[in-house]
Structures are given as structure tokens and as C-alpha cells.
Amino acid sequence: MPSAAERTRTLVQSTCSAVLLIPGLTTVGFDQLVPLDRSVGPEGDLFLEFPADSPAVRAATHAQDDELTAVLEITDVAPVSVPHRIRGRGRVSGWLTSVPGMAGPGRMMLRLETGEAHVDDLWGAQDVEPEEFRDAAADPLVAHEAELLQHLHAAHGEQVALLCGLLGERADSGCAAHRPAVVPVALDRYGLRVRICEADGRCFDARFEFPEPVRDVTGLRHAMHTLFEAAAR
């Protein structure tokens, strides 16, 4: 399974919604504190781009040599329609400063020096040390996951449903008899997670591991083909 640090890096480097929280700016509109872009530097610091007139930029600029604490909160929502759609949340907290000259016209780059991080997702809740976050790598499928899940759901729904047959005794809970909805809910280099929802509203997740971690979309296609072949037998 991916480590907590890898999952946090994946959230940060994904397109999931994020908001920067700064003490004293809690009354500012949510949209004003949403970064236009975000990335992670080689030392594990976050670089957040905002409009130059953003309250976040003003706060970081006025703080100057004072330590300005801030928290980037990320919410991960499944890109397909499914019950319990929020897949997880991530949080990176630290100290905020402005970085002049790194953004385009009308924009300003802010640097969030990572002090601590936390992830609470489908794998569980864990704290992440700054060094772990710095050294971790985002999942190689992060840029494509949403599109891939939507494609699996729309174009390969029947094949995804057949994965129920790989659950063995768990299939007796209703997969075979009641044909529940089976929706692909998460995808990473290690495997595919589906959410199985029965007619009475009960849901549970099942995860199908790939024979080996995939490196890219090409490797994923081969892994999914192997998985579907096994389910069709």
C-alpha cells in the first residue's frame, strides 16, 4: 500500500480542491483563499500561487519577518458518482512567506514551509513528518486518475461489476444474487478500489491489487486487462 507520506504528496499534487487557512482570516470568502496553482519544492515546501490582491498575499507580505502560520487543507472527492463521495482529507501546516518574482503578472507566489502533515483517507488516518513528506513521491497516476475512473465507470461498467466474482466468500453477501452497483472509486499504482452498494443501501469497498506496481498508463492498461481476464474466467 502507499505510505501516508506518498498519499499526502499525491493529494497535494492532485487537482483536488484546497484552501489555505490563516489565523485572523477566517472570515474571508472561501474562494479568495483557494490557490490558483500549487506545487512541491525539492525541500518539501509548498509553493502556492495566488492573485496579487489576495488576502493571503497581503497577510504574508505584511508579516515580513514575523512567523505567519498557515494550513493548506485538501479535500479529495471521488470523480464518479458514488455514496460517501469524500475519499479523504489532507492537511499541511507550516509557516507562510511571500516569494517575489516567481509568478506571472498579477500573481504572487507564497511558500509554505512544511512543519507537519496529516492524511485521513480510505487507508486510514496518519501523521506525516516533514522529512517523510519531502522524500515521498506522488503516485504516477495522479494526473490521470479522475479521467481513468470516469472511463472505467462509463465504458467498462460490466467488466468492473464482474470483479465481484474475485471476492470469493464475500460475493455471497449479495454480489451474485442481487447485482449491486459496483463503482470504481480509487486507483493508484498498486491497484483498483471499487465500492459495492447493495439494494438496501449498504456499501463496502473491495480492493484488487495488481501483480506488480504500475509505472504509467501503459502499464495500467496491461494490469487492468489481466484483472478483467481473471474476473471473466
Side-chain angles (χ1 to χ4, degrees):
M1 63 177 284
S3 70
E6 289 172 329
R7 283 147 42 207
T8 308
R9 280 291 293 258
T10 298
L11 282 178
V12 170
Q13 294 177 225
S14 72
T15 57
C16 297
S17 63
V19 60
L20 186 68
L21 304 178
I22 302 174
L25 295 184
T26 54
T27 59
V28 174
F30 176 87
D31 59 332
Q32 291 183 291
L33 295 178
V34 174
L36 300 172
D37 191 25
R38 60 183 189 261
S39 60
V40 182
E43 298 302 317
D45 298 332
L46 274 58
F47 288 90
L48 311 172
E49 192 171 307
F50 284 91
D53 60 353
S54 166
V57 172
R58 290 198 295 270
T61 302
H62 293 160
Q64 294 180 350
D65 296 330
D66 296 332
E67 289 190 344
L68 179 64
T69 58
V71 180
L72 184 73
E73 290 194 348
I74 305 164
T75 302
D76 180 20
V77 180
V80 292
S81 180
V82 65
H84 315 298
R85 198 164 177 178
I86 294 180
R87 302 188 299 184
R89 302 181 191 275
R91 183 179 71 247
V92 179
S93 60
W95 301 271
L96 195 67
T97 55
S98 59
V99 188
M102 284 190 63
R107 298 187 175 194
M108 177 67 76
M109 189 72 73
L110 301 183
R111 172 177 172 261
L112 181 64
E113 180 184 350
T114 302
E116 60 182 12
H118 180 81
V119 63
D120 185 354
D121 59 9
L122 298 173
W123 296 100
Q126 289 178 268
D127 292 326
V128 177
E129 294 297 324
E131 296 79 10
E132 295 175 319
F133 180 80
R134 177 197 63 202
D135 297 337
D139 190 89
L141 301 179
V142 61
H144 310 285
E145 188 206 14
E147 180 182 357
L148 290 167
L149 287 174
Q150 291 167 352
H151 175 73
L152 281 173
H153 186 47
H156 300 282
E158 291 186 6
Q159 290 170 291
V160 171
L162 285 176
L163 294 176
C164 267
L166 299 176
L167 297 179
E169 293 181 359
R170 291 193 71 181
D172 295 335
S173 67
C175 276
H178 304 294
R179 296 185 61 83
V182 183
V183 182
V185 71
L187 182 65
D188 57 60
R189 69 183 180 278
Y190 296 106
L192 170 71
R193 184 188 295 264
V194 302
R195 184 154 298 161
I196 301 170
C197 296
E198 300 176 0
D200 60 5
R202 292 183 299 169
C203 296
F204 67 92
D205 284 5
R207 184 168 170 86
F208 302 93
E209 304 291 339
F210 299 142
E212 60 183 24
V214 302
R215 298 180 180 179
D216 50 32
V217 174
T218 300
L220 174 67
R221 290 195 187 100
H222 178 72
M224 289 302 305
H225 181 72
T226 301
L227 195 59
F228 287 152
E229 275 192 338
R233 292 171 188 162

